[in-house]
Amino acid sequence: MAGWNADTAAGSPGPGAVTLVEGACFCISSANGDIHPDYPHGVFYEDTRILSGWHLTVNGAPLEPLAAKTKEPYRGLFAGRVPRPDGHADSPLIVERLREVGAGIVEQITVRNYAPVPAECVVSLKVDADFADLFEVKEARIQGRWNESRQADGDALTIRAVWQDIRKGVVVSASRADATPEALTYRTVVPPHGQWSATVSAVPTADMSGPAAQPFVRSDAGGLSPRDLRRQEWVSKIPVLRMGNRSIERTLRRSYDDLGALRIEDPDHPDRIVVAAGAPWFMALFGRDSLWASLMALPVDPSLAFGTIQTLADRQGSVVDEMSEEEPGKILHEVRLDVSSGLALGGKSAYYGSIDATPLFVALFGEVSRWGFAPETISSLLPHVDRALDWIRDYGDKDGDGFVEYQRLNDQGLINQGWKDSWDGINFADGRMAEPPIALCEVQAYVYSAYMARSWIAYDAGDMALAAEYRERGGQLKKQFNEQFWLPDRGYYAIALDGRKKPVDACASNMGQCLLFGIIDEDKAPLVAERLMSPEMFSGWGVRTLASDMGAYNPASYHNGSVWPHDNAIIAAGLLRYGFAEEAQRISTALFEAAEYSEGRLPELFCGFSREHFDEPVPYPTACSPQAWAAATPIQLVKSLMGYYADVARGGLWLDPVLPESYGDLHITNAPMANSRITIDISGSVATVQGLPEGMLFHHGIRPWASDLAEKANQTGDQHRPAPG
């Protein structure tokens, strides 16, 4: 995943930690609601930790945690009890903390007294702010270079920090509290069987130096906060889903909520919404992750994919820079909107060390262009698509052998630059690490898809010469790929070719992604499907990243035997492309069952232990949750099993449902389609659609793939078909 380097992985936030997220702000705390500087906890705003300590005590004692519940992605409720000073077990004092995150946090603290006598309480909140950079916290190397000043004024405490010419600040306000430079304190008497409550907020100062913003004022709309209103606006735009299987319906709705909370704005284009990669460490735009997540979410909100593609196009590489690994035409790996650049990967706010973001940008543009955006918007992006294709030819394939490979340009960059970007992620069957330059199998599949998408777009625009050129490039790559990556004695594809063009012979999930893009020969697909579903690869909860009989296998590793939901969603879609419906159903059902163990939210990854060994998914300690492509996974799984694909320019919507019986009937309303809203009903293998825009027809069956259209156009010399006006 994103910006991850296993050498400097984040420490665990501790048992029962709770993450709340809303756009560019998030909060990580312990199960009782406290924030501990010893853990990677905090309130983060624009990649700066504005609160590093937030300790609530009642009569000098910290709260014993009882329950923590995330009510919305941005709002959590913590219940705890105050330990009795006399050592008796049951305390009559229960404390609830209702916390909401926005530009900072607001917290309502309620003390309930269940005793028949009044309770004298000293409620105190100790506050710390170290203004550490997100990367410092994640990698536990906080430099503490700020000159800090703390000022109490009435019922507010302001903490300011200066370093060189940078100023940061946070204002903590608690009406009617006594503020000192260390803490905010209330002295109160809670009546018998009664309660007491107060509200505390912590907000960054504007440009972190002036007076604090006031983002937590409730609006009149039924006591809704700005976060609630933003969520309502999101919900009004996206499909409403009813499903016979209530558990799967809950998981899909949780996905909608998480995707909504992970939306961030491009500061240069506030109207343009993109998906951040994941909380807590990746609340930023990532090339690969944001492209995948927004593509998976196309049926829910096509504008996310479009915003992501436009934002990445704006930041496309233009020069050669060895530190940030920028190159002309290259699509970035990650961009931070506000971070001390010395700590970011490559030392700049944008880092380009990704081998797959550029071909994915083109391949996914090909898919997005079929979902009905204005022709002039599509054509304005074509120069960026062509620059990306130039990068593939001139920089991606440095040795000119037809394959795209990577080798980091400096020793601070990522060692591995595909989606398995941990330092030990690419290895041989015997466990030896592969030496760069490395050509990954799935990257060749993305490149193949990019060529075929460009061929079809050229054909559709009447440019036959360009269409033929890219179709031939694609055909040549597919032929070479099947000759050099296929391991006939093993019955599967190599994960990669190493620096000596030797097949890296580990059995890994990467070849499963190749299925979706159509680069795998028809005669080899059944062997790939069989291998992916073998006991060594399929844990019972999903396909492992690495087979259990490989030398580097470790079920509790990041990329060498774990199960990643998004990887499985792509594999399931690929299996369906080659006609393996039963296998796709097994993967899909396993993931929906796994989601039941985490309140309907799939994490970034979980451990690869076999389901026979552990009868519930074993969490990976530092997995991001919520995480964009994991949140989009349930949507992608159902979309794939529906066979739900549009091609607005060709005037069609295709459905080819193979939903398992256990999912029940599916009823979707308010689904965006071109400039309209449609209703879809699926019962068994029968689908009906209402409300299609004029000029669009419903087809029961499989939508033609761009590669098939490009091939067919060549064979028939078909006359150019203009898009319907």
Side-chain angles (χ1 to χ4, degrees):
M1 152 87 187
W4 178 271
N5 203 332
D7 301 319
T8 52
S12 168
V18 175
T19 301
L20 302 175
V21 60
E22 170 64 12
C25 191
F26 63 92
C27 169
I28 312 172
S29 66
S30 60
N32 72 351
D34 281 353
I35 288 168
H36 294 279
D38 309 345
Y39 287 107
H41 288 177
V43 174
F44 295 81
Y45 176 71
E46 291 186 344
D47 289 343
T48 297
R49 179 158 70 175
I50 59 166
L51 288 180
S52 54
W54 187 255
H55 292 277
L56 185 68
T57 57
V58 178
N59 298 335
L63 303 179
E64 178 192 347
L66 294 173
K69 180 146 186 69
T70 308
K71 298 179 85 63
E72 280 87 21
Y74 48 85
R75 186 183 285 126
L77 178 64
F78 302 85
R81 64 180 180 176
V82 181
R84 284 172 63 131
D86 58 10
H88 285 287
D90 285 343
S91 160
L93 292 179
I94 304 295
V95 180
E96 284 182 13
R97 309 169 77 171
L98 181 63
R99 176 178 302 162
E100 185 176 320
V101 61
I105 59 168
V106 66
E107 183 168 311
Q108 187 178 33
I109 301 164
T110 303
V111 182
R112 300 182 195 278
N113 178 13
Y114 289 94
V117 292
E120 285 189 27
C121 291
V122 178
V123 180
S124 190
L125 187 66
K126 186 173 176 296
V127 181
D128 284 299
D130 62 2
F131 303 105
D133 185 281
L134 177 91
F135 286 98
E136 293 180 301
V137 179
K138 174 176 173 278
E139 296 167 10
R141 52 185 177 99
I142 290 150
Q143 298 180 15
R145 51 183 175 227
W146 298 93
N147 291 323
E148 188 189 286
S149 66
R150 301 168 71 108
Q151 186 183 353
D153 181 11
D155 54 12
L157 164 63
T158 303
I159 305 174
R160 288 197 177 84
V162 181
W163 174 63
Q164 293 176 354
D165 56 352
I166 304 170
R167 295 172 183 279
K168 308 232 171 187
V170 64
V171 179
V172 184
S173 318
S175 55
R176 304 187 313 282
D178 294 327
T180 68
E182 279 68 54
L184 296 144
T185 304
Y186 291 93
R187 293 167 202 285
T188 183
V189 176
V190 186
H193 301 294
Q195 66 181 59
W196 167 91
S197 71
T199 300
V200 187
S201 69
V203 291
T205 54
D207 82 3
M208 298 231 193
S209 60
Q214 285 298 328
F216 288 108
V217 181
R218 296 266 164 185
S219 66
D220 299 332
L224 296 175
S225 73
R227 264 67 52 200
D228 294 319
L229 294 170
R230 183 172 187 251
R231 177 171 179 261
Q232 271 190 358
E233 184 200 1
W234 161 246
V235 168
S236 71
K237 290 198 314 192
I238 61 176
V240 179
L241 183 125
R242 295 261 179 282
M243 208 157 189
N245 185 317
R246 287 287 181 260
S247 165
I248 295 178
E249 182 183 304
R250 174 177 83 149
T251 296
L252 283 154
R253 292 190 171 177
R254 186 79 193 254
S255 289
Y256 284 6
D257 261 359
D258 286 344
L259 275 175
L262 290 167
R263 290 171 302 149
I264 54 176
E265 284 154 24
D266 177 350
D268 301 336
H269 299 275
D271 55 322
R272 201 183 281 173
I273 304 295
V274 299
V275 189
W281 307 117
F282 305 110
M283 291 309 297
L285 176 69
F286 279 73
R288 171 197 315 122
D289 301 55
S290 301
L291 280 166
W292 266 126
S294 60
L295 177 88
M296 290 171 156
L298 266 176
V300 169
D301 183 358
S303 70
L304 290 177
F306 209 69
T308 299
I309 283 175
Q310 286 179 306
T311 305
L312 290 170
D314 283 356
R315 290 169 168 79
Q316 190 168 22
S318 57
V319 297
V320 173
D321 179 333
E322 292 211 341
M323 276 314 290
S324 67
E325 305 204 38
E326 180 181 350
E327 288 165 337
K330 196 175 188 183
I331 298 299
L332 58 80
H333 173 61
E334 65 180 287
V335 63
R336 299 273 166 185
L337 303 176
D338 176 59
V339 81
S340 351
S341 61
L343 291 159
L345 283 164
K348 287 188 171 183
S349 63
Y351 173 64
Y352 288 79
S354 159
I355 195 63
D356 49 7
T358 311
L360 271 175
F361 173 82
V362 181
L364 303 187
F365 172 81
E367 177 59 24
V368 168
S369 68
R370 300 177 79 177
W371 278 74
F373 292 94
E376 59 274 17
T377 336
I378 294 291
S379 57
S380 72
L381 283 165
L382 265 183
H384 294 280
V385 167
D386 287 332
R387 286 177 58 210
L389 286 160
D390 289 346
W391 176 85
I392 289 172
R393 183 192 60 215
D394 300 338
Y395 295 93
D397 179 15
K398 284 193 170 67
D399 59 7
D401 69 340
F403 296 128
V404 168
E405 54 271 302
Y406 64 85
Q407 179 167 15
R408 64 178 176 174
L409 300 182
N410 66 76
D411 59 10
Q412 277 178 275
L414 289 170
I415 293 173
N416 283 314
Q417 300 194 346
W419 84 262
K420 292 181 179 174
D421 59 4
S422 47
W423 63 279
D424 60 349
I426 310 299
N427 43 68
F428 287 87
D430 62 9
R432 278 178 305 123
M433 301 240 277
E435 293 294 325
I438 291 171
L440 291 167
C441 65
E442 78 275 16
V443 171
Q444 316 317 314
Y446 305 163
V447 172
Y448 169 73
S449 181
Y451 289 164
M452 295 318 243
R454 188 64 187 98
S455 174
W456 169 244
I457 291 165
Y459 169 76
D460 212 33
D463 187 340
M464 299 306 164
L466 194 65
E469 180 193 329
Y470 277 108
R471 190 179 57 248
E472 280 156 27
R473 276 199 209 181
Q476 177 59 31
L477 176 58
K478 181 171 180 171
K479 181 172 175 290
Q480 257 184 281
F481 174 82
N482 284 284
E483 284 166 1
Q484 294 184 49
F485 279 77
W486 179 246
L487 304 171
D489 53 330
R490 310 282 182 91
Y492 60 81
Y493 285 86
I495 183 176
L497 303 181
D498 73 359
R500 294 177 304 166
K501 303 298 173 189
K502 191 169 181 251
V504 181
D505 60 353
C507 181
S509 63
N510 304 53
M511 64 179 173
Q513 294 202 10
C514 296
L515 289 166
L516 178 56
F517 296 95
I519 197 171
I520 284 181
D521 282 344
E522 289 287 342
D523 63 332
K524 300 179 179 73
L527 290 165
V528 172
E530 188 185 331
R531 182 61 61 139
L532 290 168
M533 303 310 293
S534 68
E536 293 76 29
M537 284 297 282
F538 188 71
S539 75
W541 297 114
V543 176
R544 296 182 177 102
T545 42
L546 188 68
S548 60
D549 54 355
M550 295 291 120
Y553 173 72
N554 171 0
S557 69
Y558 199 56
H559 287 133
N560 287 326
S562 51
V563 172
W564 285 64
H566 91 280
D567 189 31
N568 276 268
I570 298 166
I571 291 168
L575 286 163
L576 283 163
R577 176 168 185 163
Y578 282 82
F580 299 103
E582 200 181 311
E583 290 81 351
Q585 289 172 339
R586 268 184 76 197
I587 290 173
S588 179
T589 302
L591 287 166
F592 279 120
E593 287 168 356
E596 289 176 28
Y597 291 92
S598 44
E599 298 187 338
R601 175 189 276 170
L602 284 169
E604 176 186 21
L605 73 157
F606 39 86
C607 293
F609 295 105
S610 135
R611 192 164 175 168
E612 285 145 27
H613 195 165
F614 287 98
D615 60 3
E616 51 186 83
V618 177
Y620 181 80
T622 55
C624 280
S625 185
Q627 202 246 4
W629 59 16
T633 287
I635 298 165
Q636 173 69 33
L637 291 169
V638 170
K639 171 177 105 172
S640 298
L641 292 169
M642 289 167 71
Y644 182 19
Y645 294 97
D647 193 330
V648 176
R650 303 180 82 236
L653 167 68
W654 282 259
L655 286 167
D656 188 33
V658 288
L659 291 157
E661 215 174 296
S662 61
Y663 290 26
D665 291 351
L666 180 60
H667 175 66
I668 299 172
T669 55
N670 198 43
M673 182 52 58
N675 49 7
S676 189
R677 298 272 158 179
I678 62 172
T679 298
I680 301 171
D681 280 287
I682 294 178
S683 181
S685 61
V686 178
T688 57
V689 180
Q690 292 163 293
L692 273 175
E694 204 179 331
M696 273 188 85
L697 296 174
F698 166 48
H699 303 278
H700 208 297
I702 297 166
R703 185 193 69 172
W705 297 90
S707 55
D708 299 339
L709 290 169
E711 290 293 347
K712 189 170 160 227
N714 176 46
Q715 289 157 7
T716 57
D718 218 352
Q719 286 309 299
H720 166 56
R721 171 209 300 261

